[in-house]
Amino acid sequence: MSDAPAAAQKQQAQRHSLVVRIITLPLRLLGVLIGALLMSIVIECVGMHLLWKEEGWRHSQSMLQYELGHLSSQFTRSAIIQEPGRTAHQLVDTGYHWIFVKTGLVDQMGRHAQRVRAPSQGEKRDFRYVISQAYVWIENYLIAAAFTTLTFMVRLLILVLTLPLILMAAFVGLVDGLVRRDVRKFGAGRESGFIYHRAKASLLPLALLPWVAYLAMPVSVHPLIILLPSAALLGLAVAVTASSFKKYL
């Protein structure tokens, strides 16, 4: 008799935990996106210092141009957004206005660039020379961070456009897993709790890590190179989880 209250409390705690996870899901997704944005900015700044010193902030600008051109040429139709290319350009224009214009970065660069850079072009290495060099260094990294943010926004739009692919892969995996589960039950097959827990634990990483990797990449690649294998792996993980589930879903 003492096991019944304990089981009821456990079920209530599980339901409460599920409700909390559902409520906090948008905040967790927002945290993942912010983390991916910060990671992409850090990677771009490190790359400017180590890998593409000659290009500087123009590397991030070229990535933005590639992403916009690729989106306009490849994503001509979408079940989620009408005219994806036009939407991407509007998004970038809005982001440029808020990042460069609203913050006063363009005006500040225009007013102080020539006056502050002048000492850095001379041969005398005094305090003004050090200050000017520091200003140029900070300015380059701020511009790179701004273009990286715009690139992040375009890539996020591309990920939103590929959501039907992810959902279709998960749905196909779910149907396949449930069919395999029923076939195994009717054939008196054994269910593996070990496989179920391992497959279930891999669902969240397979759903989020490809997004983070694509958003934070310091180079421009076709999104399907990353998203298509990840969608296949996610569908496989869903199929294994559903086929190994010991109770009815």
Side-chain angles (χ1 to χ4, degrees):
M1 297 294 293
S2 60
D3 293 339
Q9 291 179 359
K10 184 177 180 180
Q11 292 179 357
Q12 184 177 3
Q14 290 178 350
R15 288 195 296 267
H16 181 267
S17 176
L18 179 62
V19 171
V20 171
R21 287 199 299 266
I22 294 176
I23 294 176
T24 59
L25 181 60
L27 295 178
R28 286 184 289 166
L29 291 178
L30 180 62
V32 170
L33 293 178
I34 294 176
L37 175 59
L38 295 178
M39 186 184 303
S40 63
I41 293 175
V42 170
I43 293 175
E44 181 65 26
C45 292
V46 172
M48 285 179 59
H49 185 70
L50 298 177
L51 301 178
W52 44 83
K53 296 181 180 179
E54 298 297 329
E55 293 183 74
W57 57 265
R58 291 178 179 82
H59 176 268
S60 57
Q61 184 185 31
S62 63
M63 281 201 309
L64 176 61
Q65 293 174 350
Y66 175 87
E67 299 291 344
L68 285 174
H70 173 76
L71 182 61
S72 299
S73 60
Q74 299 293 329
F75 290 87
T76 56
R77 298 180 183 178
S78 174
I80 300 177
I81 300 175
Q82 294 182 353
E83 300 182 359
R86 181 179 179 182
T87 303
H89 282 84
Q90 292 177 349
L91 183 65
V92 170
D93 290 340
T94 303
Y96 181 88
H97 179 75
W98 281 95
I99 295 175
F100 284 93
V101 179
K102 284 287 188 178
T103 59
L105 184 59
V106 174
D107 295 337
Q108 184 178 0
M109 289 166 53
R111 288 196 305 267
H112 300 288
Q114 295 298 330
R115 181 173 60 85
V116 180
R117 285 174 180 168
S120 66
Q121 298 173 357
E123 298 180 356
K124 186 177 180 180
R125 297 178 177 271
D126 53 3
F127 181 73
R128 291 186 61 193
Y129 175 84
V130 175
I131 295 298
S132 63
Q133 288 290 343
Y135 181 87
V136 172
W137 183 81
I138 294 174
E139 177 187 280
N140 290 334
Y141 282 93
L142 284 177
I143 296 175
F147 278 116
T148 302
T149 303
L150 295 178
T151 304
F152 177 89
M153 295 168 61
V154 176
R155 288 180 174 178
L156 184 60
L157 177 61
I158 293 176
L159 290 176
V160 172
L161 296 178
T162 57
L163 274 179
L165 171 65
I166 306 298
L167 296 178
M168 182 181 66
F171 178 75
V172 171
L174 178 63
V175 173
D176 180 74
L178 292 177
V179 171
R180 290 176 181 271
R181 176 175 176 271
D182 289 339
V183 170
R184 186 182 65 251
K185 289 185 64 177
F186 290 134
R190 300 184 61 182
E191 298 172 336
S192 175
F194 176 82
I195 296 177
Y196 166 73
H197 289 293
R198 295 300 180 276
K200 181 182 177 181
S202 67
L203 291 178
L204 188 60
L206 288 175
L208 293 181
L209 288 181
W211 280 51
V212 176
Y214 177 66
L215 291 173
M217 285 187 64
V219 293
S220 296
V221 297
H222 198 287
L224 291 183
I225 296 178
I226 298 176
L227 300 179
L228 191 59
S230 64
L233 291 176
L234 179 62
L236 178 61
V238 172
V240 174
T241 302
S243 64
S244 303
F245 196 32
K246 294 184 178 181
K247 297 180 180 180
Y248 286 105
L249 293 175

